[in-house]
């Protein structure tokens, strides 16, 4: 009986990928070592014998070494691209399988806009609180403070709508005053 916990399928896949990469590095290293050895032996024999055949063998082995180097580099690049594609496909598949509980890709512009809108809503809430507190004072209410709070709410709402203008179809010069700026009628619910 093994004391190791069972491996998850992701861990098994990573271990297999690592073993394959390790095998590739070892085999290409061995291949280069053999090719360099052949080149060195050919150089030594050619230098000792000083004949044309020896130098031709040196040229051929050097050519093969260069060709092997180019081949190994292109295969490594291709393998990296395939690995990146597989990682991307695995991430996409994992995101589809996990549903809402998985990792979400966040658009930085949308995230920034959402944070700004959240801040705008907080400003509106604070200004509403100021208005309620002042109106609760009755005759002693500071109406200038209420007016400033209402102006702040109006400005904050306009800025928030401008942030959303590109996403809801408003743009250009029509941003400040459109038919959508009509007062809203109805009851306010707390």
């Amino acid at each position: 009986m093994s004391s190791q916990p069972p491996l998850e399928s992701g861990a098994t896949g990573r271990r297999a990928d690592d073993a394959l990469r390790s095998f590739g590095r070892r085999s290409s290293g061995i291949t280069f070592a053999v090719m360099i050895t052949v080149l060195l032996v050919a150089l030594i024999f050619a230098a000792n014998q000083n004949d044309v055949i020896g130098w031709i063998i040196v040229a051929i082995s050097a050519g093969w070494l260069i060709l092997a180097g180019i081949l190994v580099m292109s295969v490594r690049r291709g393998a990296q691209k395939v690995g990146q594609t597989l990682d991307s496909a695995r991430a996409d598949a994992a995101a589809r399988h996990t549903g809402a509980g998985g990792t979400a890709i966040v658009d930085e512009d949308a995230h920034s806009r959402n944070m700004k809108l959240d801040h705008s809503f907080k400003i509106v809430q604070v200004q509403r609180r100021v208005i309620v507190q002042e109106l609760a004072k009755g005759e002693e209410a500071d109406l200038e403070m209420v007016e400033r709070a209402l102006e702040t709410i109006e400005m904050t709402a306009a800025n928030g709508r401008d942030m959303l203008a590109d996403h809801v179809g408003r743009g250009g010069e029509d941003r400040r005053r459109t038919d959508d700026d009509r007062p809203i009628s109805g009851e306010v619910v707390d």
Side-chain angles (χ1 to χ4, degrees):
M1 290 199 168
S2 175
S3 63
Q4 294 179 350
L7 293 175
E8 296 177 14
S9 62
T12 304
R14 274 184 243 123
R15 201 176 268 176
D17 288 345
D18 291 342
L20 187 59
R21 284 186 190 121
S22 176
F23 173 75
R25 285 187 195 118
R26 280 188 306 232
S27 62
S28 64
I30 292 170
T31 302
F32 274 112
V34 168
M35 302 270 313
I36 289 171
T37 304
V38 168
L39 177 64
L40 291 176
V41 168
L43 272 171
I44 292 171
F45 280 120
N48 286 339
Q49 300 296 325
N50 201 13
D51 61 353
V52 177
I53 290 286
W55 290 110
I56 292 174
I57 292 173
V58 168
I60 291 172
S61 63
W64 277 107
L65 184 61
I66 291 170
L67 182 65
I70 292 170
L71 182 64
V72 166
M73 295 306 288
S74 60
V75 166
R76 281 188 181 170
R77 281 193 201 125
Q80 286 175 344
K81 287 182 182 178
V82 167
Q84 290 170 350
T85 304
L86 284 174
D87 290 344
S88 175
R90 285 178 187 151
D92 290 344
R96 279 193 295 268
H97 289 297
T98 58
T103 303
I105 297 173
V106 178
D107 179 15
E108 288 296 324
D109 292 335
H111 179 70
S112 176
R113 183 188 67 242
N114 291 344
M115 294 300 291
K116 289 177 183 177
L117 287 172
D118 179 57
H119 180 69
S120 295
F121 290 137
K122 288 177 185 174
I123 290 171
V124 169
Q125 288 175 328
V126 168
Q127 296 304 319
R128 179 199 174 277
R129 221 175 298 134
V130 168
I131 293 171
V132 168
Q133 289 171 354
E134 285 302 315
L135 292 178
K137 294 178 183 177
E139 299 273 332
E140 298 174 10
D142 184 359
L143 295 180
E144 288 180 24
M145 186 177 279
V146 170
E147 185 63 32
R148 282 194 308 267
L150 288 171
E151 287 174 4
T152 302
I153 289 172
E154 183 178 352
M155 212 176 358
T156 304
N159 289 341
R161 292 186 72 209
D162 285 347
M163 281 185 255
L164 292 174
D166 294 335
H167 299 284
V168 295
R170 287 189 313 141
E173 297 297 322
D174 297 335
R175 284 185 177 181
R176 284 289 169 205
R177 194 69 173 144
T178 64
D179 289 339
D180 291 343
D181 289 335
R182 295 182 307 242
I184 299 172
S185 60
E187 291 183 31
V188 177
V189 180
D190 284 322

